């Protein structure tokens, strides 16, 4: 089975998100980078499926040259092929991103045969458009279900389930299919030393994508208004207990 | 005309759906425009009166054999055909998992933008929105050049509000032409949920982070939660360590909570955690670091 996983390089902010002076980007001067948790889980799901049923995992990202870091990380936890669609690092809108990824998939499949499964995250961590995977699936004419909390593959079918208000929904998709994954579907592994060494040798196939922009254009970013809140120090250690009990009584949660 | 796409599950309307209808009414008010709704599947026919209360003039009722249960592709195709035939200036749904999925499916078919999770919106020469990024920790102003405009309104961003003077809504049949292959993503099976309090609705959440130290450390949090009629929550550091299940995770990629009291034990309060907890009415933070963000 051949599986493609699409991941996006995003900053990993801590206590707050700072914005650059021109309000066009997150200030990443003091930040590390990561992939969205949903996408890390998509990758882990792909690696587990291949471990169980054979095949290989390809990881693809569209982003700046530095996104090679996320591809190597993916290789260190089990991806065998890496594809970088290198941009100048500017924010690509969802339609444009989907067009570029679709084209890359078509090219990759023409060269090496079809992917049985293409996995996305449910939404990207930084822009949260909830759509790139759906657009790619539609362009390729493949079935797509987002928000997966479980994937099993057998006999050319992917059984996918997800949580909804009323309970679990189960979908049965004929391969080739596309699935958007949510964090919680599995617990992603950490790279082993062997994995790290192997990832250094993986060839990153790099191309410069071209795709027309879509109709959504970012004007600027801003921080949400801070919520007004009041902090009271109730005490330290067990000495705080009576004050906590008083508070809970006043809030009516002690029954 | 502004078209509101109504999320329902085999006929039971999602409470969140009224937020999208309210957003549609707000947008319509900017231009003295009308609001119409689209319900998908026969099971939703009874929703006309509920929708009328929110100022909907007409309800387009899509009927087809393929619409007995939810299916992202079939529903997206119905919305796309409604756009082609009814020519709305904007199409809106609530930014729930399904709401975003349906509109993204429709937008893919129409090859137009879909703007997810907006909190403010003005329709002029262009469509100007403020939308949430990073699960709510960051806002983006965006300009959209498209016709029609497809967008979702962030869940909980606006309160659902019935219209002040609402008349009756006229049901209108809408018969989409659906390719049988769209059955491929219709729900095939279900496992219904057992009733009980959930993290998102619990009045008390006892949350633990890395500072709890181990899976065993959660025993006392569990006990406190049970005593207070609440549930246990946790940070991503905890799920990553395998101490708790991801179903307990609070935050951007976990659950959003809104309890009366949130106990945050050994949680630093990273922004991705905070966005999931900030709707808590009171927070009792227990932390060895007085400068922790949670404190
Ligand atoms: C895209 C993205 C999405 C994310 N989504 C989520 C999400 O949904 N939910 C989430 O939680 N995180 C999320 N994260 C991770 C987040 O950035 C933090 O890494 C995580 O929340 C930290 O968990 P923590 O507070 O338990 O651990 P830490 O940050 O390590 O904090 C531990 C705290 O415990 C305190 N402590 C230590 N010992 C004690 C003691 N004995 N008694 C009391 N206090 C003690 C410390 O002072 C510290 O404040 C996400 C990250 C990214 C990049
Ligand atoms: N620049 C990118 N490179 C690779 N994959 C991406 C990129 N942007 C989005 N994706 C994928 O599409 C999913 C949905 O993204 P979005 O529509 O932005 O929420 C993400 O979880 C990723 O799997």
């Amino acid at each position: 089975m051949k599986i493609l996983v699409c991941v996006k390089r995003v900053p990993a902010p801590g206590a707050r998100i700072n914005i650059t002076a021109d309000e066009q980007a997150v200030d990443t001067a003091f930040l590390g980078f990561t992939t969205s948790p949903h996408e890390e889980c998509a990758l882990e799901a792909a690696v587990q499926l291949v471990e169980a049923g054979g095949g290989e995992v390809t990881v693809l990202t569209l982003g700046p040259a530095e996104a090679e870091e996320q591809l190597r990380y993916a290789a260190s936890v089990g991806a065998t092929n890496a594809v970088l669609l290198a941009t100048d690092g500017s924010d690509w809108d969802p339609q444009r991103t989907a067009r570029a990824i679709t084209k890359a998939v078509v090219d990759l499949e023409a060269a090496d045969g079809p992917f049985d499964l293409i996995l996305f995250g449910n939404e990207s961590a930084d822009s949260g458009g909830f759509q790139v995977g759906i657009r790619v699936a539609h362009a390729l004419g493949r079935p797509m279900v987002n928000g997966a909390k479980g994937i099993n593959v057998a006999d050319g079918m992917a059984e996918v389930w997800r949580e909804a208000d009323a309970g679990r929904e189960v979908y049965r998709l004929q391969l080739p299919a596309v699935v958007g994954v949510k964090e919680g579907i599995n617990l992603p592994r950490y790279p082993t030393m062997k994995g790290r060494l192997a990832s250094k040798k993986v060839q990153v196939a790099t191309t410069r994508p071209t795709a027309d922009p879509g109709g959504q254009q970012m004007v600027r970013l801003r921080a949400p208004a801070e919520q007004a809140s009041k902090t009271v120090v109730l005490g330290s250690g067990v000495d705080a207990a009576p004050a906590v009990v008083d508070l809970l009584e006043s809030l009516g949660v002690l029954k | 005309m502004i078209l509101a796409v109504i999320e329902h599950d085999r006929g039971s309307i999602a409470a969140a759906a009224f937020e999208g209808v309210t957003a549609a009414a707000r947008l319509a008010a900017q231009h003295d425009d009308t609001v119409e709704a689209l319900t998908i599947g026969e099971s939703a026919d009874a929703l006309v009166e509920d929708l009328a209360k929110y100022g909907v003039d007409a309800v387009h009722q899509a009927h087809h054999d393929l619409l007995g249960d939810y299916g992202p592709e079939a529903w997206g195709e119905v919305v796309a055909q409604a756009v082609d035939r009814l020519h709305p200036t904007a199409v809106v749904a609530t930014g729930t998992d399904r709401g975003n999925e349906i509109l993204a499916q429709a937008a893919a078919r129409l090859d137009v933008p879909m703007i997810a999770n907006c909190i403010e919106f003005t329709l002029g020469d262009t469509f100007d929105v403020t939308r949430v990024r990073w699960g709510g920790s960051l806002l983006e102003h965006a300009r959209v050049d498209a016709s029609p405009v497809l967008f979702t309104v962030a869940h909980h961003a606006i309160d659902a509000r019935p219209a002040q003077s609402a008349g009756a809504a006229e049901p209108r049949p809408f018969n989409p032409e659906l390719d049988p292959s769209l059955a491929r993503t219709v729900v095939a099976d279900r496992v219904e949920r057992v009733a009980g309090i959930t993290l998102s609705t619990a009045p008390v959440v006892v949350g633990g982070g890395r500072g709890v130290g181990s899976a065993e450390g959660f025993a006392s949090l569990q006990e406190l939660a049970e005593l207070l009629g609440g549930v246990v929550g946790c940070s991503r550091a905890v799920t990553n360590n395998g101490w708790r299940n991801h179903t307990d995770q609070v935050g951007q990629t976990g659950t959003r909570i809104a309890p009366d009291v949130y106990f945050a034990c050994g949680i630093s309060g990273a922004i991705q955690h905070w966005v999931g907890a900030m709707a808590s009415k009171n927070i009792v933070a227990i932390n060895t670091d007085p400068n922790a963000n949670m404190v």
Side-chain angles (χ1 to χ4, degrees), chain A residues 11 13-14 91 125 127-128 131 135 146 162 164 166 168-170 172 182-183 187 215 217 219-220 222, chain B residues 70 97-98 101 112 114 131 133-134 139 141 143 145 188-189 191 193 236 239 246 249 252-253 271:
Chain A
D91 215 46
S127 55
Q131 58 187 279
R135 288 184 188 276
N146 212 18
R162 67 183 191 188
R168 246 176 218 197
E169 293 169 353
V170 182
R172 294 203 180 88
K182 261 196 184 178
E183 186 182 35
L187 196 54
Q217 198 200 334
V219 178
R220 67 184 184 93
R222 83 176 150 92
Chain B
Y70 179 68
D97 283 346
R98 267 196 195 180
E101 182 175 47
V112 296
M114 193 288 276
R131 60 180 296 269
R133 285 182 166 229
W134 286 97
L139 301 180
H141 292 273
R143 184 158 300 149
D145 187 6
D189 235 325
V191 185
R193 190 187 303 288
R236 181 159 179 254
T239 27
H246 183 270
Q249 184 175 313
Q252 182 180 340
T253 51
I271 191 145

Side-chain angles (χ1 to χ4, degrees), chain B residues 42-295:
Chain B
E42 240 168 282
S43 64
D45 284 357
L47 299 177
V48 175
E49 275 177 42
D50 286 342
L51 294 169
K53 294 189 193 118
Y54 286 79
V56 170
D57 293 331
V59 181
H60 302 275
Q61 303 181 318
H63 290 181
H64 194 284
D65 288 350
L66 284 179
L67 302 175
D69 201 340
Y70 179 68
E73 291 183 294
W75 283 43
E77 178 63 27
V78 171
V79 174
Q81 292 186 15
V83 165
D84 284 341
R85 289 197 226 159
L86 306 171
H87 309 291
T89 44
V91 181
V92 54
T94 310
T96 56
D97 283 346
R98 267 196 195 180
N100 282 324
E101 182 175 47
I102 298 160
L103 287 212
Q105 280 285 355
R109 284 152 213 281
L110 297 163
D111 198 21
V112 296
M114 193 288 276
I115 324 301
N117 298 325
C118 301
I119 57 171
E120 287 161 14
F121 33 84
T122 325
L123 189 57
D125 285 342
T126 52
F127 183 59
D128 293 301
V129 299
T130 306
R131 60 180 296 269
V132 303
R133 285 182 166 229
W134 286 97
S137 332
L138 191 66
L139 301 180
E140 170 191 352
H141 292 273
R143 184 158 300 149
V144 187
D145 187 6
S147 177
V149 166
L150 269 62
F151 73 104
T152 61
V153 55
H155 189 20
H156 297 310
I158 65 174
D159 292 330
R161 204 162 286 151
Q164 274 159 355
S165 57
E170 184 198 335
R172 292 192 199 149
F174 182 80
N175 296 307
E177 280 165 30
L178 301 179
D179 192 277
S181 70
L182 290 168
R184 67 190 185 175
T185 49
V186 172
V187 174
D189 235 325
R190 291 172 172 276
V191 185
E192 304 288 334
R193 190 187 303 288
V194 249
I197 51 170
T198 62
L199 189 53
S200 59
T201 55
V204 175
V205 176
V206 183
R210 198 193 307 277
V212 171
S214 63
E216 295 70 41
F218 273 85
S220 51
L221 274 65
Q222 183 83 51
E223 192 184 347
L224 179 61
E226 279 161 21
L227 288 170
L228 297 175
V231 298
V232 168
C234 71
S235 72
R236 181 159 179 254
V238 168
T239 27
N240 273 353
N241 278 324
W243 299 345
R244 301 291 296 186
N245 241 312
H246 183 270
T247 42
D248 290 351
Q249 184 175 313
V250 172
Q252 182 180 340
T253 51
T255 302
R256 275 117 212 284
I257 60 171
D260 296 326
V261 189
Y262 179 40
F263 291 87
C265 313
I267 299 178
S268 64
I271 191 145
Q272 304 89 353
H273 185 81
W274 177 247
V275 287
M278 65 187 182
S280 308
K281 292 184 195 72
N282 299 278
I283 297 178
V284 180
I286 303 178
N287 205 299
T288 43
D289 175 6
N291 296 319
N293 199 47
M294 205 73 210
V295 182

Side-chain angles (χ1 to χ4, degrees), chain A residues 172-185:
Chain A
R172 294 203 180 88
L173 313 179
Q174 179 117 45
L175 301 181
V178 182
V179 178
V181 169
K182 261 196 184 178
E183 186 182 35
I185 191 174

Side-chain angles (χ1 to χ4, degrees), chain A residues 100-221:
Chain A
I101 293 177
T102 304
K103 178 157 188 310
V105 172
V106 169
D107 291 347
L108 288 168
E109 293 192 333
D112 294 318
F115 294 106
D116 301 287
L117 201 56
I118 305 181
L119 300 185
F120 287 85
N122 186 66
E123 85 274 1
S124 58
D126 62 339
S127 55
F130 291 81
Q131 58 187 279
V132 167
I134 291 170
R135 288 184 188 276
V136 172
H138 178 68
L140 295 170
R142 294 182 198 175
M144 157 56 157
V145 172
N146 212 18
K149 283 290 190 89
I151 307 176
N152 289 312
V153 174
D155 306 324
M157 300 287 286
E159 184 174 89
V160 173
W161 62 263
R162 67 183 191 188
E163 298 289 354
D165 290 342
R168 246 176 218 197
E169 293 169 353
V170 182
Y171 297 85
R172 294 203 180 88
L173 313 179
Q174 179 117 45
L175 301 181
V178 182
V179 178
V181 169
K182 261 196 184 178
E183 186 182 35
I185 191 174
N186 53 40
L187 196 54
R189 71 195 66 192
Y190 291 103
T192 56
M193 187 53 82
K194 192 162 154 262
R196 268 186 230 268
L197 290 173
S199 75
K200 296 213 166 70
K201 299 201 191 81
V202 169
Q203 281 276 339
V204 174
T206 305
T207 55
R208 289 227 152 241
T210 51
D212 291 336
Q216 175 184 347
Q217 198 200 334
M218 187 187 83
V219 178
R220 67 184 184 93
L221 298 173

